[in-house]
Amino acid sequence: MRITSLLFGFTALFAISCGSNNNQGSTQEADSTQLAELTYVEDFYDVGTIHSGEVVRHSFRFRNTGNAPLVVKDIIPSCGCTKVDVTSRILKPGDEASVEVVFDSKGWFGSQYKSVTLRTNGVIREKSVTLKANVVP
């Protein structure tokens, strides 16, 4: 009788502890569905032909299409001739911002492709935009 009671008690304790682990697992799964995602409205812009020494700029709009806050951690231009400014570094789901790319063509000739990479906490950690210019003397 005593052995049966102990066996029943251990079985009940085991069943309860297994049930708790399942609840924790489903909570963790629900948390992993909260993801930020950076989506550019456009990721390429051709300014056309410009003369060497001209400064051109273009704003690339982007939005957070995920369901968690998007954080822009770093902004990386491809070269020193490219300056960058972003209107917001933290976007709630559905929010939109823009990154302005400014290219100083002084000393550059021919087809130029200048990119800027945003490093975020999004599903894809790094996404770039590109500004193209045909620089003539």
Side-chain angles (χ1 to χ4, degrees):
M1 175 87 166
R2 222 168 182 207
I3 294 175
T4 306
S5 295
L6 281 173
L7 186 58
F8 178 73
F10 283 127
T11 304
L13 183 61
F14 180 73
I16 291 170
S17 67
C18 287
S20 331
N21 286 343
N22 286 342
N23 289 340
Q24 287 175 347
S26 63
T27 303
Q28 289 172 347
E29 287 174 22
D31 290 343
S32 68
T33 62
Q34 297 294 312
L35 301 170
E37 184 171 1
L38 177 129
T39 303
Y40 287 111
V41 174
E42 66 175 338
D43 60 1
F44 181 83
Y45 186 76
D46 186 346
V47 298
T49 300
I50 61 173
H51 292 281
S52 181
E54 280 187 63
V55 176
V56 293
R57 63 186 69 231
H58 183 73
S59 289
F60 293 91
R61 293 181 314 157
F62 63 94
R63 61 179 61 105
N64 179 3
T65 55
N67 56 9
L70 176 77
V71 178
V72 177
K73 296 178 178 183
D74 203 6
I75 305 166
I76 308 159
S78 61
C79 81
C81 62
T82 307
K83 303 295 181 218
V84 187
D85 188 33
V86 66
T87 58
S88 180
R89 286 187 174 256
I90 300 174
L91 285 78
K92 296 179 200 166
D95 281 359
E96 189 172 292
S98 63
V99 57
E100 183 178 48
V101 178
V102 181
F103 167 53
D104 182 353
S105 66
K106 182 179 179 182
W108 295 94
F109 298 99
S111 291
Q112 299 297 316
Y113 294 84
K114 303 303 174 187
S115 65
V116 173
T117 302
L118 296 186
R119 185 175 293 151
T120 70
N121 66 327
V123 175
I124 299 173
R125 301 284 184 210
E126 294 182 355
K127 282 192 169 182
S128 299
V129 293
T130 302
L131 182 77
K132 178 187 182 251
N134 181 36
V135 184
V136 295

